[in-house]
């Protein structure tokens, strides 16, 4: 009779799955869940969260699937892009976006006092070092 093991749940989102959990997941399904190709011996592979953590997924065994490293990198980039788009739409909806450009203005008018003021004169040239006299 096979021993049943309870599902692994990470303590935090950053907590990496231990080796025994990685082995159990790979034994359950040795195909990349993104491209459906078999993951061969010696091939680089990662555990991928089916529903990404940044999009509300959980760090638990039922949300992890094996995937080729290249497929995993591409999916992660898509997940981050999706999160950025959702955040931008939410900010726009809430009205907390910054303006795309500054408003051009002519500036303040010169006062009469400033118009009468004469420009400052430059100081006369003074050498920093003088040659020593013998």
């Amino acid at each position: 009779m096979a021993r049943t093991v309870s599902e692994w749940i990470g303590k935090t989102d950053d907590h990496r799955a231990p080796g025994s959990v990685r082995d159990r997941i790979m034994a359950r399904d040795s195909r990349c869940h993104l491209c459906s190709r078999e993951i061969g011996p010696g091939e680089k592979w990662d555990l991928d969260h089916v529903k990404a953590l940044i999009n509300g997924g959980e760090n638990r065994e039922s949300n992890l699937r094996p995937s080729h490293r290249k497929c995993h990198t591409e999916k992660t980039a898509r997940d981050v892009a999706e999160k950025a788009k959702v955040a931008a739409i939410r900010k726009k909806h809430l009205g907390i976006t910054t303006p795309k450009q500054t408003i051009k203005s002519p500036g303040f008018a010169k006062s009469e006092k400033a118009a009468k003021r004469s420009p400052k004169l430059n100081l006369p040239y003074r050498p920093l070092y003088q040659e020593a006299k013998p």
Side-chain angles (χ1 to χ4, degrees):
M1 184 160 90
R3 186 180 90 149
T4 59
V5 180
S6 61
E7 179 184 29
W8 173 83
I9 301 172
K11 292 182 176 99
T12 64
D13 286 347
D14 295 331
H15 197 84
R16 184 183 165 127
S20 59
V21 173
R22 292 173 61 86
D23 290 343
R24 209 165 46 224
I25 291 171
M26 191 62 167
R28 181 179 68 209
D29 186 15
S30 62
R31 292 185 169 275
C32 173
H33 85 104
L34 299 169
C35 69
S36 301
R37 281 188 16 238
E38 188 77 25
I39 299 175
E43 269 189 285
K44 301 278 186 186
W45 64 281
D46 293 324
L47 286 178
D48 179 49
H49 291 88
V50 177
K51 184 174 182 184
L53 296 175
I54 61 171
N55 292 332
E58 296 178 321
N59 194 15
R60 61 186 325 148
E61 190 173 347
S62 61
N63 192 32
L64 293 171
R65 299 281 185 277
S67 63
H68 291 107
R69 185 154 295 162
K70 183 180 179 203
C71 299
H72 182 235
T73 305
E74 291 169 0
K75 180 181 178 277
T76 302
R78 287 194 309 267
D79 289 340
V80 169
E82 177 186 350
K83 178 67 175 180
K85 184 176 180 181
V86 168
I89 291 170
R90 185 164 190 264
K91 281 182 180 180
K92 185 177 179 184
H93 174 74
L94 294 174
I96 55 176
T97 57
T98 56
K100 301 236 187 286
Q101 64 187 41
T102 57
I103 299 172
K104 306 284 184 195
S105 68
F108 294 106
K110 298 281 183 186
S111 68
E112 291 179 28
K113 188 176 179 181
K116 291 178 183 177
R117 201 176 298 144
S118 62
K120 290 185 178 180
L121 299 174
N122 291 337
L123 294 174
Y125 173 75
R126 236 176 73 192
L128 292 176
Y129 302 102
Q130 295 178 356
E131 291 186 25
K133 295 181 184 177

